[in-house]
Coordinates of all heavy atoms in Angstrom, one line a residue:
M1 N 0.9 -1.2 0.0 CA 0.0 0.0 0.0 C 0.9 1.2 0.0 O 1.8 1.3 0.7 CB -0.9 -0.1 1.2 CG -1.6 1.2 1.4 SD -3.3 1.2 2.1 CE -3.9 -0.2 1.5
I2 N 0.6 2.2 -0.8 CA 1.4 3.4 -0.9 C 0.5 4.6 -0.2 O -0.6 4.8 -0.6 CB 1.6 3.9 -2.4 CG1 2.4 2.7 -3.0 CG2 2.3 5.1 -2.5 CD1 2.5 2.8 -4.5
P3 N 1.1 5.2 0.8 CA 0.5 6.3 1.4 C 0.3 7.5 0.6 O 1.1 7.7 -0.4 CB 1.3 6.6 2.7 CG 2.6 6.0 2.3 CD 2.5 5.0 1.4
P4 N -0.7 8.3 0.8 CA -0.9 9.5 0.1 C 0.1 10.6 0.3 O 0.9 10.5 1.2 CB -2.3 10.0 0.5 CG -2.4 9.5 1.9 CD -1.6 8.2 2.0
P5 N 0.1 11.6 -0.6 CA 1.1 12.7 -0.4 C 1.0 13.3 1.0 O 0.0 13.3 1.6 CB 0.7 13.6 -1.5 CG -0.1 12.9 -2.5 CD -0.7 11.8 -1.7
I6 N 2.1 14.1 1.3 CA 2.2 14.7 2.7 C 1.0 15.6 2.9 O 0.5 15.8 4.0 CB 3.5 15.4 2.8 CG1 3.7 15.9 4.2 CG2 3.7 16.6 1.9 CD1 4.5 15.0 5.1
G7 N 0.4 16.3 1.8 CA -0.6 17.2 2.0 C -1.9 16.5 2.4 O -2.9 17.1 2.9
V8 N -2.0 15.3 2.2 CA -3.3 14.5 2.5 C -2.9 13.4 3.5 O -3.4 12.2 3.4 CB -3.8 13.8 1.1 CG1 -5.2 13.4 1.4 CG2 -3.8 14.8 0.0
I9 N -2.1 13.8 4.5 CA -1.6 12.8 5.4 C -2.6 12.1 6.3 O -2.3 11.0 6.8 CB -0.5 13.6 6.2 CG1 0.4 12.6 6.9 CG2 -1.1 14.4 7.3 CD1 1.4 11.8 6.1
S10 N -3.8 12.6 6.5 CA -4.7 12.0 7.4 C -5.0 10.5 6.9 O -5.3 9.7 7.8 CB -6.0 12.8 7.5 OG -6.6 12.9 6.3
D11 N -5.0 10.2 5.7 CA -5.3 8.9 5.2 C -4.1 7.9 5.7 O -4.5 6.8 6.1 CB -5.4 8.8 3.7 CG -6.7 9.5 3.1 OD1 -7.6 9.7 4.0 OD2 -6.8 9.8 2.0
A12 N -2.9 8.5 5.6 CA -1.8 7.5 6.1 C -1.9 7.3 7.6 O -1.6 6.1 8.0 CB -0.5 8.3 5.8
F13 N -2.4 8.2 8.3 CA -2.5 7.9 9.8 C -3.7 6.9 10.0 O -3.6 6.0 10.8 CB -2.9 9.2 10.6 CG -1.7 10.1 10.7 CD1 -1.8 11.4 10.2 CD2 -0.6 9.7 11.3 CE1 -0.7 12.3 10.4 CE2 0.5 10.6 11.5 CZ 0.5 11.8 10.9
A14 N -4.8 7.0 9.2 CA -5.9 6.0 9.3 C -5.5 4.6 9.0 O -5.9 3.6 9.5 CB -7.1 6.5 8.5
L15 N -4.5 4.5 8.0 CA -4.1 3.2 7.5 C -2.9 2.7 8.3 O -2.4 1.6 8.1 CB -3.7 3.3 6.1 CG -4.8 3.6 5.1 CD1 -4.3 3.9 3.7 CD2 -5.8 2.5 5.1
N16 N -2.4 3.4 9.3 CA -1.1 3.0 10.0 C -1.2 1.6 10.6 O -0.2 1.0 10.6 CB -0.8 4.1 11.0 CG 0.6 4.0 11.6 OD1 1.5 3.6 10.9 ND2 0.6 4.1 12.9
A17 N -2.3 1.3 11.1 CA -2.4 0.0 11.7 C -2.3 -1.2 10.7 O -2.1 -2.4 11.1 CB -3.8 -0.2 12.4
Y18 N -2.4 -0.9 9.4 CA -2.4 -2.0 8.4 C -1.2 -1.9 7.6 O -1.1 -2.8 6.6 CB -3.6 -1.8 7.5 CG -5.0 -1.7 8.3 CD1 -5.5 -0.6 8.5 CD2 -5.5 -2.9 8.7 CE1 -6.8 -0.5 9.3 CE2 -6.6 -2.9 9.5 CZ -7.3 -1.6 9.7 OH -8.4 -1.6 10.5
I19 N -0.3 -1.1 7.8 CA 1.0 -1.0 7.0 C 2.2 -1.2 7.7 O 2.2 -1.1 9.0 CB 1.0 0.5 6.3 CG1 1.1 1.5 7.4 CG2 -0.1 0.8 5.3 CD1 1.4 2.9 6.8
D20 N 3.2 -1.7 7.0 CA 4.5 -2.0 7.7 C 5.4 -0.8 7.8 O 6.3 -0.8 8.6 CB 5.3 -3.1 6.9 CG 4.5 -4.5 6.9 OD1 3.9 -4.7 8.1 OD2 4.6 -5.2 6.1
G21 N 5.3 0.1 6.9 CA 6.1 1.3 6.9 C 5.5 2.4 6.0 O 4.7 2.1 5.1
T22 N 6.2 3.5 6.1 CA 5.8 4.6 5.2 C 7.0 5.2 4.6 O 8.0 5.5 5.3 CB 5.1 5.7 6.1 OG1 4.0 5.2 6.8 CG2 4.6 7.0 5.2
I23 N 7.0 5.3 3.3 CA 8.1 5.8 2.5 C 7.7 7.1 1.8 O 6.7 7.1 1.1 CB 8.6 4.8 1.4 CG1 9.0 3.5 2.0 CG2 9.7 5.4 0.6 CD1 9.2 2.4 1.0
Y24 N 8.4 8.2 2.2 CA 8.2 9.5 1.5 C 9.3 9.6 0.5 O 10.4 9.6 0.8 CB 8.2 10.6 2.6 CG 7.1 10.6 3.5 CD1 7.2 10.1 4.8 CD2 5.9 11.1 3.0 CE1 6.1 10.0 5.6 CE2 4.8 11.1 3.9 CZ 4.9 10.6 5.1 OH 3.8 10.6 6.0
V25 N 8.9 10.0 -0.7 CA 9.8 10.3 -1.7 C 10.0 11.8 -1.8 O 9.0 12.5 -2.1 CB 9.4 9.7 -3.1 CG1 10.4 10.1 -4.2 CG2 9.2 8.3 -3.0
V26 N 11.2 12.3 -1.6 CA 11.4 13.8 -1.7 C 12.4 14.1 -2.7 O 13.3 13.3 -3.0 CB 11.9 14.3 -0.3 CG1 10.9 14.1 0.8 CG2 13.3 13.6 0.1
R27 N 12.2 15.2 -3.4 CA 13.1 15.5 -4.6 C 14.0 16.7 -4.2 O 13.5 17.7 -3.8 CB 12.2 15.8 -5.8 CG 13.0 16.1 -7.0 CD 12.1 16.2 -8.2 NE 12.9 16.3 -9.5 CZ 12.5 16.6 -10.6 NH1 11.2 16.7 -10.7 NH2 13.2 16.7 -11.6
K28 N 15.3 16.5 -4.5 CA 16.2 17.5 -4.2 C 15.8 18.8 -4.9 O 15.5 18.8 -6.1 CB 17.6 17.0 -4.7 CG 18.8 18.0 -4.4 CD 20.1 17.5 -5.0 CE 21.1 18.5 -4.9 NZ 22.3 17.9 -5.5
N29 N 15.9 19.9 -4.2 CA 15.7 21.3 -4.7 C 14.1 21.5 -5.2 O 13.8 22.4 -5.8 CB 16.6 21.6 -5.9 CG 18.0 21.6 -5.5 OD1 18.3 22.1 -4.4 ND2 18.8 21.2 -6.4
V30 N 13.3 20.5 -4.8 CA 11.9 20.7 -5.2 C 11.0 20.6 -3.9 O 10.1 21.4 -3.7 CB 11.4 19.7 -6.2 CG1 10.0 19.7 -6.5 CG2 12.2 19.8 -7.5
T31 N 11.3 19.6 -3.1 CA 10.5 19.4 -1.8 C 10.7 20.6 -0.9 O 11.7 21.0 -0.7 CB 10.9 18.1 -1.2 OG1 10.6 17.0 -2.0 CG2 10.1 17.9 0.1
K32 N 9.5 21.2 -0.5 CA 9.7 22.3 0.4 C 10.2 21.9 1.8 O 9.8 20.9 2.3 CB 8.2 23.0 0.5 CG 7.8 23.6 -0.8 CD 6.4 24.1 -0.6 CE 5.9 24.7 -2.1 NZ 4.6 25.2 -2.0
S33 N 10.9 22.8 2.3 CA 11.5 22.5 3.6 C 10.5 22.3 4.7 O 10.6 21.5 5.6 CB 12.4 23.6 4.1 OG 11.8 24.9 4.2
E34 N 9.4 23.0 4.6 CA 8.3 22.8 5.7 C 7.7 21.4 5.6 O 7.3 20.7 6.6 CB 7.2 23.8 5.7 CG 6.4 23.9 4.4 CD 6.8 25.0 3.4 OE1 7.8 25.5 3.5 OE2 5.9 25.3 2.5
H35 N 7.7 20.8 4.3 CA 7.2 19.4 4.2 C 8.3 18.4 4.8 O 7.8 17.4 5.5 CB 7.0 19.0 2.7 CG 5.8 19.8 2.2 ND1 5.6 19.9 0.8 CD2 4.8 20.5 2.7 CE1 4.5 20.5 0.6 NE2 3.9 20.9 1.8
A36 N 9.5 18.7 4.6 CA 10.6 17.8 5.2 C 10.5 17.9 6.7 O 10.7 16.9 7.4 CB 11.9 18.3 4.7
K37 N 10.2 19.1 7.2 CA 10.1 19.2 8.7 C 8.9 18.5 9.2 O 9.0 18.0 10.3 CB 10.1 20.7 9.1 CG 11.4 21.4 8.9 CD 11.3 22.9 9.2 CE 12.6 23.6 8.8 NZ 12.5 25.0 9.1
T38 N 7.8 18.5 8.5 CA 6.6 17.7 8.9 C 7.0 16.2 8.9 O 6.6 15.5 9.8 CB 5.5 18.0 7.9 OG1 5.2 19.4 7.9 CG2 4.2 17.2 8.3
I39 N 7.6 15.7 7.9 CA 8.1 14.3 7.9 C 9.0 14.0 9.1 O 8.9 13.0 9.8 CB 8.8 14.0 6.6 CG1 7.8 14.1 5.4 CG2 9.4 12.6 6.6 CD1 8.5 14.0 4.0
E40 N 9.9 14.9 9.4 CA 10.8 14.8 10.5 C 10.0 14.7 11.8 O 10.3 13.8 12.7 CB 11.8 15.9 10.6 CG 12.8 15.7 11.7 CD 13.8 16.8 11.8 OE1 13.5 18.0 11.3 OE2 14.9 16.6 12.4
S41 N 9.0 15.6 12.0 CA 8.2 15.6 13.2 C 7.4 14.3 13.3 O 7.3 13.7 14.4 CB 7.3 16.8 13.2 OG 6.4 16.8 14.2
I42 N 6.8 13.8 12.2 CA 6.1 12.6 12.2 C 7.0 11.5 12.7 O 6.6 10.6 13.5 CB 5.5 12.2 10.8 CG1 4.3 13.2 10.6 CG2 5.0 10.8 10.7 CD1 4.0 13.3 9.0
H43 N 8.2 11.4 12.2 CA 9.2 10.3 12.6 C 9.5 10.5 14.0 O 9.5 9.5 14.8 CB 10.4 10.4 11.7 CG 11.5 9.5 12.1 ND1 11.4 8.1 11.9 CD2 12.7 9.8 12.6 CE1 12.5 7.6 12.4 NE2 13.3 8.6 12.8
K44 N 10.0 11.6 14.4 CA 10.4 11.8 15.9 C 9.3 11.5 16.9 O 9.6 11.0 17.9 CB 10.9 13.3 16.1 CG 12.2 13.5 15.5 CD 12.7 14.9 15.9 CE 14.2 15.1 15.4 NZ 14.6 16.4 15.7
N45 N 8.0 11.8 16.6 CA 6.9 11.6 17.4 C 6.3 10.2 17.3 O 5.4 9.8 18.0 CB 5.9 12.6 17.3 CG 6.3 14.0 17.6 OD1 6.9 14.2 18.7 ND2 6.1 15.0 16.8
G46 N 6.9 9.4 16.4 CA 6.4 7.9 16.2 C 4.9 7.9 15.7 O 4.2 6.9 16.1
K47 N 4.5 8.8 15.0 CA 3.1 8.9 14.6 C 2.8 7.8 13.4 O 1.7 7.4 13.3 CB 2.7 10.2 14.0 CG 2.7 11.3 15.1 CD 2.2 12.6 14.6 CE 2.2 13.6 15.7 NZ 1.8 14.9 15.2
L48 N 3.8 7.5 12.6 CA 3.6 6.4 11.6 C 4.8 5.4 11.8 O 5.9 5.7 12.2 CB 3.7 7.0 10.2 CG 2.6 8.0 9.8 CD1 2.9 8.6 8.4 CD2 1.3 7.2 9.8
R49 N 4.5 4.1 11.5 CA 5.4 3.1 11.6 C 6.6 3.2 10.6 O 6.3 3.5 9.4 CB 4.8 1.8 11.4 CG 3.8 1.3 12.4 CD 3.4 0.0 12.1 NE 2.1 -0.3 12.7 CZ 1.5 -1.5 12.8 NH1 2.1 -2.5 12.2 NH2 0.5 -1.7 13.4
N50 N 7.8 2.9 11.0 CA 8.9 2.8 10.1 C 8.9 3.9 9.0 O 9.0 3.6 7.8 CB 9.0 1.4 9.5 CG 9.0 0.3 10.4 OD1 9.7 0.4 11.4 ND2 8.2 -0.8 10.2
T51 N 9.0 5.1 9.3 CA 9.0 6.2 8.5 C 10.3 6.2 7.7 O 11.4 6.3 8.4 CB 8.7 7.6 9.2 OG1 7.5 7.4 10.0 CG2 8.6 8.7 8.3
M52 N 10.4 6.3 6.5 CA 11.6 6.2 5.7 C 11.4 7.4 4.6 O 10.4 7.7 4.2 CB 11.7 4.9 4.9 CG 11.9 3.8 5.9 SD 11.6 2.2 5.1 CE 9.9 2.0 5.4
V53 N 12.6 7.9 4.2 CA 12.7 9.0 3.2 C 13.6 8.5 2.1 O 14.7 8.0 2.3 CB 13.2 10.3 3.9 CG1 13.3 11.4 2.8 CG2 12.3 10.8 4.9
L54 N 13.1 8.6 0.9 CA 13.9 8.4 -0.3 C 14.2 9.7 -1.0 O 13.3 10.4 -1.4 CB 13.1 7.4 -1.3 CG 13.8 7.1 -2.5 CD1 14.9 5.9 -2.3 CD2 12.8 6.7 -3.6
L55 N 15.5 10.0 -1.1 CA 15.9 11.3 -1.8 C 16.1 11.0 -3.2 O 16.9 10.2 -3.7 CB 17.2 11.7 -1.1 CG 17.8 13.0 -1.7 CD1 16.8 14.2 -1.6 CD2 19.1 13.4 -1.1
N56 N 15.4 11.7 -4.0 CA 15.3 11.6 -5.5 C 16.0 12.7 -6.2 O 16.1 13.8 -5.6 CB 13.8 11.5 -5.9 CG 13.6 10.9 -7.2 OD1 14.6 10.5 -7.9 ND2 12.4 10.9 -7.7
D57 N 16.5 12.4 -7.4 CA 17.0 13.4 -8.3 C 18.4 14.0 -7.7 O 18.6 15.2 -7.6 CB 16.1 14.6 -8.6 CG 16.5 15.5 -9.8 OD1 17.2 15.0 -10.6 OD2 16.0 16.5 -9.8
T58 N 19.2 13.1 -7.3 CA 20.6 13.5 -6.9 C 21.6 13.0 -7.8 O 21.4 12.2 -8.7 CB 20.9 12.8 -5.5 OG1 20.9 11.4 -5.6 CG2 19.9 13.3 -4.5
N59 N 22.8 13.6 -7.7 CA 23.9 13.2 -8.6 C 24.7 12.1 -7.9 O 25.3 12.3 -6.9 CB 24.8 14.4 -8.8 CG 26.0 14.2 -9.7 OD1 26.3 13.0 -10.1 ND2 26.6 15.2 -10.2
A60 N 24.6 10.9 -8.4 CA 25.3 9.8 -7.8 C 26.8 9.8 -7.7 O 27.4 9.3 -6.8 CB 24.9 8.4 -8.6
A61 N 27.4 10.7 -8.6 CA 28.9 10.9 -8.6 C 29.3 11.7 -7.3 O 30.4 11.5 -6.9 CB 29.2 11.7 -9.8
Q62 N 28.3 12.4 -6.7 CA 28.7 13.2 -5.5 C 28.2 12.4 -4.2 O 28.3 13.0 -3.1 CB 28.0 14.5 -5.5 CG 28.6 15.3 -6.7 CD 27.8 16.7 -6.8 OE1 26.8 16.9 -6.1 NE2 28.4 17.5 -7.6
A63 N 27.6 11.3 -4.3 CA 27.0 10.6 -3.3 C 28.0 9.6 -2.6 O 29.0 9.2 -3.2 CB 25.8 9.8 -3.7
Y64 N 27.7 9.2 -1.3 CA 28.5 8.2 -0.6 C 27.6 7.0 -0.5 O 26.4 7.1 -0.2 CB 28.9 8.7 0.8 CG 29.4 7.6 1.7 CD1 30.8 7.3 1.6 CD2 28.6 7.0 2.5 CE1 31.3 6.3 2.3 CE2 29.2 5.9 3.3 CZ 30.5 5.6 3.2 OH 31.1 4.6 4.0
G65 N 28.2 5.8 -0.6 CA 27.4 4.6 -0.5 C 28.2 3.4 -1.0 O 29.4 3.5 -1.3
Y66 N 27.5 2.3 -1.1 CA 28.0 1.1 -1.6 C 28.0 1.0 -3.1 O 27.1 1.5 -3.8 CB 27.3 -0.1 -0.9 CG 27.5 -0.1 0.6 CD1 26.5 0.4 1.4 CD2 28.6 -0.6 1.2 CE1 26.6 0.4 2.7 CE2 28.7 -0.6 2.6 CZ 27.8 -0.1 3.3 OH 27.9 -0.1 4.6
G67 N 28.8 0.1 -3.7 CA 28.7 -0.2 -5.2 C 29.9 0.5 -5.8 O 30.7 1.2 -5.3
P68 N 29.9 0.2 -7.2 CA 31.1 0.8 -8.0 C 30.9 2.3 -8.1 O 29.9 2.9 -8.0 CB 30.8 0.2 -9.3 CG 29.5 -0.1 -9.4 CD 29.0 -0.5 -7.9
K69 N 32.1 3.0 -8.2 CA 32.1 4.4 -8.4 C 31.7 4.7 -9.8 O 32.0 4.0 -10.7 CB 33.4 5.0 -8.1 CG 33.9 4.9 -6.7 CD 35.3 5.5 -6.5 CE 35.7 5.6 -5.1 NZ 37.1 6.1 -4.9
I70 N 31.0 5.8 -9.9 CA 30.6 6.4 -11.3 C 31.9 6.9 -11.9 O 32.7 7.6 -11.3 CB 29.4 7.4 -11.2 CG1 28.3 6.8 -10.4 CG2 29.1 7.8 -12.5 CD1 27.6 5.7 -11.0
N71 N 32.0 6.7 -13.2 CA 33.1 7.3 -14.0 C 34.5 6.7 -13.6 O 35.5 7.3 -13.7 CB 33.2 8.9 -13.8 CG 31.9 9.5 -14.3 OD1 31.3 9.1 -15.2 ND2 31.6 10.6 -13.6
D72 N 34.5 5.4 -13.3 CA 35.7 4.7 -13.0 C 36.2 4.0 -14.2 O 35.4 3.4 -14.9 CB 35.6 3.8 -11.9 CG 36.2 4.4 -10.6 OD1 36.7 5.5 -10.7 OD2 36.2 3.6 -9.5

């Protein structure tokens, strides 16, 4: 089940008992900071289970992580 966008968050709270986790997809330089702060607050207060954030539209060459380096 995919929760609704942050602006319609009440549905996600109603479904919380039936879901394993909530994934928010945020886009670099597009997602408003107040939305990110709302997600952080939801996570810190434990309002939704397993709150996760997926950062989209980033430059992989500047990222840190596992796997082969880009441009090697």
